[in-house]
Amino acid sequence: DEGTWTATYTGSTSSPSTPVTATGKYTRIGRLVFAQVQFVNKNTSGAGGYLTITGLPFANGSNDVATGNIMANNGVDISPTPIAFTPYVPANSTNIDFYYTKDQANWGRVYVDAGADMYLYVSVTYTV
């Protein structure tokens, strides 16, 4: 099965002043889903809190999944400088959250960095 899905960029405490969406693509083979989306030159002004992308085409299964790839230019606030930055799909969810880690430290959620000219490319693989 192949198709498209509507991804929405949002923050945990406030959403952007104008909705920020992008059309992603997915491939599903049995229970395995590969989904990707590209937010290109978006304005995220007004967003605040932890970054979340909503709208995955299928809910994740009963296990949390930290797998995928990210490319970001603006739109994310990671402090201190991480050694790892990864998408995270919670169990039974259609959201993508983002976490970072640095050497010998706990994981931390990635915050929204609201403003203009945001580019965020994300891909995830998970099972339903």
Side-chain angles (χ1 to χ4, degrees):
D1 182 28
E2 295 179 349
T4 61
W5 61 288
T6 301
T8 302
Y9 177 106
T10 191
S12 61
T13 58
S14 61
S15 296
S17 303
T18 302
V20 175
T21 62
T23 300
K25 297 180 180 179
Y26 74 86
T27 301
R28 178 177 173 175
I29 302 170
R31 294 181 50 230
L32 185 66
V33 178
F34 172 79
Q36 64 88 22
V37 65
Q38 298 178 352
F39 291 90
V40 178
N41 196 22
K42 301 290 186 171
N43 186 338
T44 61
S45 295
Y50 299 127
L51 171 60
T52 297
I53 303 299
T54 65
L56 282 170
F58 306 96
N60 186 21
S62 59
N63 294 314
D64 298 336
V65 177
T67 181
N69 192 35
I70 304 166
M71 239 173 44
N73 183 17
N74 300 325
V76 298
D77 180 12
I78 307 172
S79 184
T81 303
I83 60 169
F85 171 34
T86 189
Y88 176 83
V89 183
N92 306 307
S93 175
T94 57
N95 295 342
I96 304 171
D97 296 329
F98 298 87
Y99 282 83
Y100 72 90
T101 188
K102 65 182 198 87
D103 192 28
Q104 299 178 357
N106 293 328
W107 296 328
R109 290 279 307 267
V110 173
Y111 285 93
V112 166
D113 183 19
D117 303 325
M118 183 273 291
Y119 293 78
L120 179 64
Y121 298 0
V122 180
S123 67
V124 292
T125 303
Y126 62 100
T127 56
V128 295

